[in-house]
Amino acid sequence: MGDSQIKLLTPAGALLRSWSEPNDGHTGSFWSPLGLTLLPSGDLLVADTYNGRVVRIIGAVTLCYDFNSSGLVDVNDIQAVAQRWYDPGLYDARYDVIPDGVIDVVDVMTVAAAWNLGCA
């Protein structure tokens, strides 16, 4: 068994960031990271099976729902998601912020929860 890395890639496959150990106070390298979950906070949970633990990579990604690039999450961003609600003809993965293949109330509420937040 060798040391493993968690890699964050762009949709085109370019490397954005990588981690070889958690940054949540746990020590030691990842050996067999199998399960990953991205939380709405932008933190990443990693099931590190060989070490028998679930650890968190804090701030793995910055989530921003400012779809119209106004500088803040506002009513226009919420409406951009809501207008695609359960309409397969308007499906766009950018607005499926909880990526489950359908744009629904959970996506709308996730964007609404970021009301008035700016994006770094």
Side-chain angles (χ1 to χ4, degrees):
M1 269 183 238
D3 189 44
S4 298
Q5 285 193 337
I6 306 295
K7 296 178 182 177
L8 179 63
L9 306 174
T10 67
L15 180 66
L16 290 174
R17 294 177 68 184
S18 66
W19 301 268
S20 58
E21 60 187 44
N23 65 0
D24 66 350
H26 286 87
T27 58
S29 301
F30 296 121
W31 280 90
S32 295
L34 290 180
L36 302 174
T37 300
L38 181 61
L39 301 176
S41 65
D43 293 354
L44 186 66
L45 291 182
V46 179
D48 190 9
T49 56
Y50 182 78
N51 289 318
R53 62 188 182 173
V54 174
V55 295
R56 184 179 295 236
I57 297 175
I58 299 168
V61 297
T62 301
L63 301 175
C64 179
Y65 306 121
D66 180 21
F67 299 112
N68 65 354
S69 301
S70 67
L72 293 173
V73 176
D74 58 21
V75 68
N76 296 311
D77 302 303
I78 297 167
Q79 288 175 336
V81 178
Q83 75 183 19
R84 291 165 173 81
W85 186 341
Y86 285 113
D87 187 339
L90 292 177
Y91 182 82
D92 184 327
R94 292 176 296 168
Y95 303 101
D96 187 7
V97 299
I98 305 298
D100 57 3
V102 65
I103 298 170
D104 58 16
V105 69
V106 178
D107 299 294
V108 175
M109 295 306 295
T110 300
V111 175
W115 178 263
N116 214 30
L117 293 179
C119 300

